[in-house]
Amino acid sequence: MMKINHDDFLSVAKIAAILGENGFDFKPEYFLALSPYTAENIMVHVQSGPIQARMSLPVTENTMGDKGFCLPRNECVRFLGASNSDTVSIQVDDRIARIRSGRSSMKAVTISIDSFPLAVPIGDTLLSIEVDATTLKAALALAVVGNTGLGEPQGVYFHPYLGDLHIYSTDGKVISHSAIKMDMLKTDDAKHENASTVPLKIAQTLLKAFKHFDKERIQIHFTENGLIFSDVGNTWNIHTQIVDNPKRFPWEAYILNAKYVLLCVITDNERMTETLDISTSISSDKLNAIALSVAEDNILSLSMNNDRGESKSAFEVETHNPYQMFTSSAPVHAFLGFCRKYGNNGVLHLGRLDMPNTIPLKLSYEGDDRFVISPSMSIAPCTG
């Protein structure tokens, strides 16, 4: 018999559901594995494709011995979410698991824990760093929202470089970038200035999971074939495989070395959003291009013209360099929404990057000292 606090178990099971696969089959990726850890805690394991995770869970009673067991993950989430009691009791006999919560109970067929690939504790790493959890979530959010469907997602890059952790993504059309402060915990004395790349879907999953962890700091451990995210006490960790042969992205040219020309300063995010909405009202397709004009008289105007007609709007800005160009509205909208939700809802900078084969439009903001340099989004075809 094992007894667990209902809300604690439900919280861990929900995180496991985020990290795991939907559906049902008698395979480890559809189950939770519960294994002995300490006298007061068990370890809950999740395995799903390139993700492995383990989370410590306190128990109020455990007479199950040294042998762990598995429970169907999504069925547990639904049962715990619908039931209401202080304590959940679990009994496993042969391949049958019996879960009771108050006057409610569920009986389910399970699998042997011997077939479950338990996530191992953090071992030798090439590099270990620690970052602010809120900032990491924001940087991941920008990397995710920047993939607006204009091109082919190439993943999210985690790039330790000269004391900062750069997190950026590109789909070949849009570049989303943040650089955040990091504390060095451990290194093997070699230079680690190459990026580790995870698929966009994995980054989306990590972002959803991190929102459920109430922690101020998150550690990131770089290994030869993966990344490991954990809290400071290592009561939980998430292992994710990295892309074996990611596409080479010339981030130094686009992010570090490109010449930047400030076009204007936007002091009203809401007004910019309203102007963008008006200018795109003639079309329901957010991927359509808009004409953008920064005029000498401190006016920024946006317009769209198609076979249905024309829609346009304008508002006041602080002009530095007049400029006209066409750009997609989707990434602009995504960046403005990111700023309202995660960061600066005030002053924004609109500029361009002078590059040999293209001239990307760059949106950025300042004012949040958690970021080393302004979170930014560059919009233009990325031609290596």
Side-chain angles (χ1 to χ4, degrees), residues 9 57 147 294:
F9 193 14
L57 178 64
N147 284 266
V294 179

Side-chain angles (χ1 to χ4, degrees), residues 356-367:
N357 300 320
T358 186
I359 303 178
L361 181 71
K362 181 177 179 179
L363 283 161
S364 61
Y365 81 76
E366 295 180 350

Side-chain angles (χ1 to χ4, degrees), residues 17-30:
I18 292 171
L19 298 172
E21 296 285 341
N22 292 323
F24 181 82
D25 196 354
F26 290 100
K27 298 179 181 178
E29 53 261 40
Y30 300 105

Side-chain angles (χ1 to χ4, degrees), residues 141-176:
L142 181 60
V144 168
V145 301
N147 284 266
T148 54
L150 294 175
E152 180 184 354
Q154 296 178 20
V156 176
Y157 299 74
F158 292 80
H159 198 147
Y161 186 80
L162 298 180
D164 304 323
L165 176 64
H166 297 260
I167 297 178
Y168 54 94
S169 68
T170 181
D171 58 6
K173 301 289 185 180
V174 178
I175 309 164
S176 301

Side-chain angles (χ1 to χ4, degrees), residues 18-81:
I18 292 171
L19 298 172
E21 296 285 341
N22 292 323
F24 181 82
D25 196 354
F26 290 100
K27 298 179 181 178
E29 53 261 40
Y30 300 105
F31 283 79
L32 295 171
L34 286 73
S35 66
Y37 185 50
T38 67
E40 297 80 21
N41 293 270
I42 58 172
M43 197 63 77
V44 179
H45 302 260
V46 184
Q47 166 69 37
S48 177
I51 290 180
Q52 270 190 321
R54 67 175 202 157
M55 295 163 280
S56 177
L57 178 64
V59 294
T60 57
E61 180 181 330
N62 185 10
T63 59
M64 298 290 287
D66 296 333
K67 185 78 171 176
F69 56 89
C70 296
L71 299 174
R73 185 188 60 251
N74 290 342
E75 288 71 17
C76 282
V77 173
R78 290 194 290 269
F79 174 75
L80 294 170

Side-chain angles (χ1 to χ4, degrees), residues 225-364:
N225 58 4
L227 293 175
I228 304 173
F229 301 85
S230 72
D231 65 333
V232 175
N234 195 27
T235 60
W236 60 265
N237 60 62
I238 302 172
H239 303 219
T240 180
Q241 296 174 6
I242 58 177
V243 178
D244 287 336
N245 297 297
K247 293 182 179 179
R248 173 63 180 161
F249 173 65
W251 83 288
E252 294 90 344
Y254 277 89
I255 296 171
L256 295 182
N257 301 321
K259 181 181 177 182
Y260 175 72
V261 178
L262 176 63
L263 302 178
C264 68
V265 176
I266 301 167
T267 58
D268 192 339
N269 183 312
E270 297 293 342
R271 189 71 182 91
M272 174 69 173
T273 303
E274 178 184 298
T275 300
L276 183 62
D277 288 340
I278 293 172
S279 68
T280 57
S281 57
I282 196 66
S283 173
S284 60
D285 187 355
K286 292 295 184 181
L287 299 184
N288 281 345
I290 55 172
L292 182 150
S293 175
V294 179
E296 292 182 351
D297 57 356
N298 294 319
I299 295 295
L300 187 151
S301 60
L302 303 173
S303 63
M304 180 178 289
N305 193 322
N306 58 28
D307 55 1
R308 296 184 180 182
E310 182 182 17
S311 53
K312 58 183 178 180
S313 186
F315 69 105
E316 292 185 1
V317 296
E318 179 187 303
T319 297
H320 286 246
N321 290 282
Y323 193 69
Q324 293 182 354
M325 72 173 298
F326 285 93
T327 186
S328 174
S329 62
V332 177
H333 217 293
F335 186 77
L336 294 172
F338 163 80
C339 293
R340 290 194 300 273
K341 185 173 182 180
Y342 290 94
N344 187 336
N345 194 25
V347 177
L348 305 173
H349 288 182
L350 176 64
R352 60 183 172 85
L353 301 176
D354 282 342
M355 307 197 68
N357 300 320
T358 186
I359 303 178
L361 181 71
K362 181 177 179 179
L363 283 161
S364 61

